[in-house]
Amino acid sequence: MRSSFTLSEYVINPFTENSKFDFDSFRKDIPQVVEFMDDLLEEGIKYLPLEEQVESAKKYRQLGIGTMGMADMFIKMGIKYGSPESLKLIDDIFFTLSDGAILKSSLLAKDRGSYLAYDKTKVLKSSYLKQAVTPSTYESISKYGLRNAELLSIAPTGSLSSMWNVSGGVEPIFATHYIRKSESLGEDGEPVYYNVYTGIVEEYMELNNVVDTQDLPEYFVTANELGYKDRINVQSVIQKYVDSAISSTINLPEHTTIEEVESIFMYAWEKGLKGVTIYRDGCARGGILTTNKDSSKNKIQQIDELQEQIDKLVVESLEENPDTCPMCGGQLIHTNHCETCVDCGYSPCSI
């Protein structure tokens, strides 16, 4: 079960020096979303096709509450993504989210009961819990338990964010504008090319009579312009308060070297990240678009053959032991129509 707060909608006085995040409204909305999601999970359990899925849903009652529009929020407040000011705001927002969501889950446990696998001793010893909640919320958990084993998960929100025309998940805006081609608008069959602006960019340009993206303030930073340390720093702050997973991709130019990629992974490790994802321009599509057709075909064939081998080994491993992760040997939890490893986070349904 997934839902996402649109953080940009909580900005008061956007695009002004008096802009601020509406924490009061945010705090009021969090428990309502948690209760709604728990209701939705309960309603959906009876529609799960397999008994194992029903048992898992009842055993763990996992929710996936996340965010989108974070980059838009920063722009509305005149804050640069990855700056010290942004990290402080992220810390405040996600601590508020984790504390509010966990407190509501505890109060739901009081009325509805804890998830079946709840172990009070283990939960209260959790290092995550101790940094993600206030003392009063910790006391509530000690007294009433928890309704849900997991509450927060930052999905990429590709479809949702596109629908609402905001930045996805906790990612920066990908670009200020895109070039679109139309063959129906041109004369004599000639195509017409024109700019399509990202939602928050178009909103700012209209409000401030800006006609060229070159004139945008420096806090309009895109995915390809951000340094990898900024991306990792942001994820490291959010990670403290998320009990499931975070979708975040570091975009790299095609000329990025192996040594530079190594430094990214080392810095991520130093910052304590559970995982890091990168995408280097040209890696997947460069081979397909290359002018050397023979080389392209050979590279694609090698990739396909390797993937087939990996898929075959995964299938064999899951058939032999469906409750063991084929990647790390950890325990697989069967829920939400798929499986997730409790140790390394591997899932055959990962996007």
Side-chain angles (χ1 to χ4, degrees):
M1 312 300 297
R2 296 192 182 279
S3 64
S4 297
F5 286 94
T6 306
L7 297 180
S8 58
E9 292 301 306
Y10 289 94
V11 178
I12 301 174
N13 302 319
F15 304 114
T16 71
E17 294 181 355
N18 299 319
S19 62
K20 63 179 182 178
F21 189 84
D22 189 353
F23 279 96
D24 290 337
S25 295
F26 190 49
R27 290 189 185 94
K28 291 177 182 177
D29 291 344
I30 293 169
Q32 296 183 54
V33 172
V34 173
E35 184 169 0
F36 169 78
M37 291 296 290
D38 192 67
D39 290 343
L40 189 61
L41 174 63
E42 186 65 32
E43 180 65 23
I45 287 177
K46 59 188 176 185
Y47 297 108
L48 295 174
L50 301 178
E51 184 60 33
E52 291 85 354
Q53 293 172 321
V54 173
E55 292 177 1
S56 181
K58 290 181 177 179
K59 189 176 181 180
Y60 298 103
R61 302 194 64 85
Q62 296 160 299
L63 306 182
I65 300 172
T67 63
M68 59 184 178
M70 190 175 81
D72 291 24
M73 173 194 73
F74 287 141
I75 290 173
K76 286 184 176 182
M77 300 179 70
I79 298 174
K80 186 177 180 180
Y81 188 108
S83 66
E85 187 179 2
S86 76
L87 299 181
K88 176 62 170 64
L89 181 58
I90 289 171
D91 196 284
D92 292 341
I93 289 174
F94 281 89
F95 177 77
T96 300
L97 178 58
S98 64
D99 182 64
I102 294 171
L103 175 60
K104 182 59 181 180
S105 182
S106 176
L107 296 177
L108 286 176
K110 174 185 177 182
D111 298 329
R112 304 177 180 182
S114 296
Y115 60 94
L116 297 181
Y118 176 72
D119 185 321
K120 179 178 179 179
T121 301
K122 290 182 178 180
V123 169
L124 292 180
K125 288 182 178 180
S126 166
S127 58
Y128 159 76
L129 189 64
K130 292 177 181 179
Q131 69 181 358
V133 301
T134 58
S136 59
T137 296
Y138 187 87
E139 180 63 28
S140 178
I141 298 167
S142 178
K143 188 174 182 180
Y144 303 123
L146 282 171
R147 180 65 171 168
N148 314 95
E150 291 180 358
L151 286 155
L152 305 182
S153 179
I154 311 299
T157 66
S159 299
L160 277 177
S161 60
S162 295
M163 184 186 304
W164 293 106
N165 200 17
V166 297
S167 55
V170 293
E171 302 276 5
I173 59 173
F174 185 74
T176 57
H177 65 282
Y178 309 89
I179 298 176
R180 180 166 294 176
K181 181 179 76 172
S182 173
E183 296 185 356
S184 61
L185 297 178
E187 298 180 358
D188 300 325
E190 292 295 322
V192 173
Y193 296 87
Y194 58 97
N195 290 333
V196 177
Y197 296 98
T198 299
I200 191 68
V201 174
E202 183 176 25
E203 185 177 357
Y204 179 90
M205 292 177 72
E206 290 180 352
L207 285 173
N208 295 276
N209 297 317
V210 176
V211 296
D212 191 333
T213 55
Q214 297 295 322
D215 297 325
L216 292 172
E218 63 175 6
Y219 53 80
F220 276 85
V221 60
T222 64
N224 289 311
E225 296 169 341
L226 271 172
Y228 71 84
K229 289 188 176 182
D230 290 331
R231 298 298 305 273
I232 291 174
N233 290 341
V234 166
Q235 186 176 333
S236 68
V237 174
I238 297 172
Q239 177 178 285
K240 295 189 297 183
Y241 308 114
V242 173
D243 55 5
S244 184
I246 301 170
S247 176
S248 180
T249 302
I250 299 174
N251 297 86
L252 302 172
E254 189 169 358
H255 57 73
T256 303
T257 66
I258 293 175
E259 291 74 20
E260 288 170 330
V261 171
E262 180 184 8
S263 66
I264 292 173
F265 280 94
M266 288 301 297
Y267 185 69
W269 173 74
E270 291 170 3
K271 297 296 290 186
L273 263 59
K274 301 172 187 176
V276 62
T277 303
I278 66 170
Y279 177 76
R280 174 177 169 271
D281 283 347
C283 283
R285 297 180 181 177
I288 296 174
L289 299 177
T290 181
T291 56
N292 188 333
K293 295 182 180 179
D294 293 334
S295 174
S296 175
K297 289 179 180 179
N298 290 335
K299 185 179 293 186
I300 295 171
Q301 183 178 359
Q302 291 172 5
I303 293 173
D304 289 342
E305 290 176 354
L306 178 60
Q307 187 62 56
E308 288 178 5
Q309 294 176 26
I310 294 173
D311 292 342
K312 182 180 179 181
L313 291 172
V314 168
V315 170
E316 291 175 353
S317 177
L318 289 174
E319 287 178 348
E320 183 177 345
N321 194 338
D323 295 322
T324 300
C325 175
M327 298 299 170
C328 74
Q331 179 188 358
L332 285 179
I333 296 176
H334 302 267
T335 185
N336 293 334
H337 308 285
C338 198
E339 301 82 31
T340 303
C341 176
V342 297
D343 292 328
C344 72
Y346 165 78
S347 171
C349 299
S350 296
I351 299 174

